[in-house]
Amino acid sequence: MKKIEAVLRPEDFEAIKKALKSAGFVSLTVYPVRGRGVQGGIPPYDLLPKMKLEIVVPDKDVEGVIDIIVKHSRRGIPGDGKIFVLPVYDAVRIRTGERGEEALY
Ligand SMILES: Nc1ncnc2c1ncn2[C@@H]1O[C@H](COP(=O)(O)OP(=O)(O)OP(=O)(O)O)[C@@H](O)[C@H]1O
Ligand SMILES: [Mg+2]
C-alpha cells in the first residue's frame, strides 16, 4: 500500500475528486493547507493557499491515481502542484477489523 499526498491548486480539486470517483477511488481525505514551492510564494504572499489530498491505495493503483491527478492539474506553469508517494505499513477498517488492502475498498 502507498499513500499518495498531493498538494493542489484549490480550484483543481473538484475535477480531481470527480475523476477519482469515476475511476473507483471513492475514499479520500482532503484539507486546506498553505505552502510554498521553489519560487517561494508570490510577493507579498510567502505562503499560498493549496489543497492537500491524501489517498491510500494498493501498489497496483498508484500510477493510475497519479495519472488522474496530473491530468486535471498540469497547466505547464509554476505552481501546478506536487505529488508525494509514501509507504503505508497497515490499515484497519474499524467497523470490521479488516486489515491491509482489504480495509481500503
Ligand atoms: N519539497 C516540498 N516539501 C513540501 N511541500 C512541498 C514541496 N514542494 C512543493 N510543496 C508543496 O506543494 C505546493 C505546490 O508546489 P509547486 O507546484 O509550486 O512546486 P515547485 O517545486 O515550486 O514546482 P513549480 O516550479 O512547477 O512551481 C507548495 O505550495 C507546497 O505546499
Ligand atoms: Mg512553485
Side-chain angles (χ1 to χ4, degrees), residues 25-43:
F25 304 108
V26 180
S27 309
L28 53 77
T29 299
V30 63
Y31 45 99
V33 295
R34 297 198 305 153
R36 65 184 179 206
V38 291
Q39 289 81 13
I42 301 173

